[in-house]
């Protein structure tokens, strides 16, 4: 048998390299790892995931990812714990709850480093702060959600009881919450980006309380321990893709605007630009690493809202080993 020439070896290597560099096609997408990512709602926290999909960062890792939207953190986490979805864009406190219950809840990649919610009321409402809402109905997205925990925590800090001094009502997200306010079911409600910017721009709403400057392990990509154990390589790949997306977000405003427009197609061009800029500068994580100060605030808030949650350490919940 003749020995292959150096030219033949180099040519074969070039061919193999060329095929390896080809993007995923419809055929080889079938062989890619399917990944279902739940989102507690259509929020700005999912922008890094959208960028990773749009810029084919998941495809480069051999992953075919899709986002499934839920109406609040409660149902999204139920789907996560039940195996209906693989990962969840959910509040970090859900990871703490899962960890406390022995389900190995973990933050795989941080998405938002600041609290994402504000409490809004119509401009004509007499309420001026949370204390002035005592005895009134206040809207949260769903029971056990970040909005629920936050409201209960802040009420207790006022020395009041969230169960007897307020009527806390689950009113859903976005337009559903706004409808509850407009028909008088609640006096004020919890909103996140871009609803905060969009509704405030109308001049018809005002801030009753704004939590968006609070360091908080807010919305993250979380997983349960059993999934991480069975999908170690995929977890590493997801973390790589998301961190690349987060770095791209900080360097290219157009990438963020494209993702914001896809996620919120009803926004005007001006609001898309404003929301993209605000999220990039104010709240989106730069490197996927959950901040310890935000973790401590989130744990304190959660344990006051739900005393059954155990004392946890940062390393109990934040899975830094997957970050690149």
């Amino acid at each position: 048998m003749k020995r292959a020439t150096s030219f033949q070896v180099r040519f074969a290597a070039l061919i193999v390299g060329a095929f390896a560099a080809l993007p995923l096609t419809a055929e080889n997408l079938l062989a890619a790892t399917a990944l279902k990512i739940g989102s507690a709602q259509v929020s700005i926290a999912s922008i890094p995931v959208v960028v990773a999909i749009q810029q084919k960062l998941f495809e480069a890792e051999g992953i075919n990812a899709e986002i499934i939207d839920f109406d609040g953190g409660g149902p999204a986490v139920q789907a996560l714990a039940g195996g209906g979805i693989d990962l969840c864009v959910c509040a970090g406190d859900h990871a703490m709850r899962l960890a406390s219950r022995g389900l190995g809840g973990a933050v795989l990649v941080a998405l938002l480093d600041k609290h994402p919610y504000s409490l809004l009321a119509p401009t004509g409402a007499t309420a001026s702060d949370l204390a002035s809402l005592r005895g009134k109905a206040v809207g949260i997205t769903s029971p056990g959600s970040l909005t629920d925990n936050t409201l209960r925590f802040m009420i207790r800090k006022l020395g009041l009881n969230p169960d007897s001094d307020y009527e806390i009502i689950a009113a859903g997200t976005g337009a559903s919450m706004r409808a509850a306010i407009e028909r008088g079911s609640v006096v004020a409600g919890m909103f996140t980006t871009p609803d905060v910017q969009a509704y405030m721009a109308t001049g018809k709403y005002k801030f009753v309380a704004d939590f968006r400057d609070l360091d908080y392990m807010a919305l993250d990509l979380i997983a349960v321990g059993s999934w991480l154990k069975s999908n170690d390589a995929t977890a590493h790949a997801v973390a790589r893709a998301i961190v690349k997306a987060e770095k791209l977000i900080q360097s290219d405003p157009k990438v963020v605007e494209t993702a914001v427009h896809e996620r919120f197609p009803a926004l005007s061009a001006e609001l898309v630009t404003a929301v993209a800029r605000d999220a990039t500068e104010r709240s989106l994580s730069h490197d996927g690493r959950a901040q310890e100060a935000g973790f401590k605030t989130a744990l304190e808030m959660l344990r006051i809202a739900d005393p059954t949650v155990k004392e946890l350490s940062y390393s109990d919940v934040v899975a830094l080993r997957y970050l690149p």
Side-chain angles (χ1 to χ4, degrees):
M1 180 180 296
K2 291 183 179 180
R3 181 176 299 174
T5 67
S6 60
F7 171 78
Q8 290 171 319
V9 170
R10 288 198 303 272
F11 181 75
L14 284 171
I15 293 297
V16 171
F19 276 107
L22 286 174
L24 292 180
T25 64
E27 290 76 14
N28 57 31
L29 266 174
L30 296 175
T33 299
L35 190 73
K36 293 182 179 179
I37 302 175
S39 183
Q41 60 172 290
V42 182
S43 77
I44 203 69
S46 60
I47 292 303
V49 179
V50 175
V51 169
I53 293 172
Q54 288 181 336
Q55 301 300 315
K56 302 188 184 303
L57 301 176
F58 280 129
E59 284 191 16
E61 296 287 352
I63 294 171
N64 181 20
E66 65 170 320
I67 298 175
I68 301 170
D69 293 312
F70 290 81
D71 194 17
V77 171
Q78 288 178 5
L80 180 70
I85 56 177
D86 302 303
L87 301 169
C88 183
V89 179
C90 285
D93 53 18
H94 288 302
M96 295 178 188
R97 270 204 176 99
L98 291 169
S100 178
R101 294 169 184 168
L103 295 175
V107 172
L108 179 59
V109 188
L111 301 175
L112 285 184
D113 289 331
K114 297 287 185 179
H115 199 291
Y117 280 93
S118 301
L119 184 62
L120 303 184
T123 52
T126 57
S128 57
D129 55 22
L130 185 56
S132 65
L133 286 170
R134 185 177 184 181
K136 303 289 195 306
V138 184
I140 59 168
T141 58
S142 62
S145 65
L146 172 58
T147 59
D148 190 13
N149 293 339
T150 299
L151 200 58
R152 291 176 181 279
F153 175 77
M154 293 300 179
I155 288 171
R156 290 189 184 282
K157 286 190 72 174
L158 294 172
L160 300 173
N161 188 316
D163 294 311
S164 59
D165 292 321
Y166 294 77
E167 185 180 3
I168 297 176
I169 295 178
T173 61
S176 176
M177 180 69 74
R178 184 173 181 174
I181 291 175
E182 291 177 348
R183 66 175 174 261
S185 300
V186 297
V187 175
M190 296 285 270
F191 293 92
T192 189
T193 298
D195 293 324
V196 171
Q197 291 87 343
Y199 295 168
M200 290 299 292
T202 67
K204 297 179 180 180
Y205 286 82
K206 65 180 180 180
F207 287 107
V208 176
D210 192 359
F211 309 116
R212 293 177 301 160
D213 289 326
L214 181 66
D215 287 331
Y216 198 87
M217 195 172 74
L219 288 159
D220 306 295
L221 200 60
I222 70 173
V224 294
S226 58
W227 186 89
L228 290 173
K229 185 176 181 180
S230 301
N231 297 274
D232 184 77
T234 300
H236 280 280
V238 169
R240 284 194 299 269
I242 295 295
V243 171
K244 286 178 182 176
E246 290 177 338
K247 294 184 182 301
L248 190 57
I249 285 168
Q250 296 301 319
S251 64
D252 191 341
K254 291 301 179 184
V255 164
V256 196
E257 290 176 15
T258 300
V260 170
H261 177 67
E262 176 180 312
R263 207 71 173 118
F264 310 104
L267 291 184
S268 67
E270 292 78 11
L271 272 176
V272 165
T273 300
V275 167
R277 181 175 61 250
D278 184 66
T280 300
E281 296 176 354
R282 183 176 193 150
S283 57
L284 287 174
S285 174
H286 292 198
D287 58 8
R289 183 187 179 99
Q291 302 300 308
E292 291 198 47
F295 166 80
K296 290 177 181 178
T297 302
L299 182 60
E300 179 189 7
M301 185 180 292
L302 178 60
R303 295 194 73 226
I304 289 176
D306 183 358
T308 66
V309 173
K310 301 175 183 177
E311 184 68 52
L312 299 164
S313 69
Y314 179 80
S315 60
D316 288 334
V317 178
V318 182
L320 294 178
R321 64 188 178 278
Y322 294 102
L323 296 178

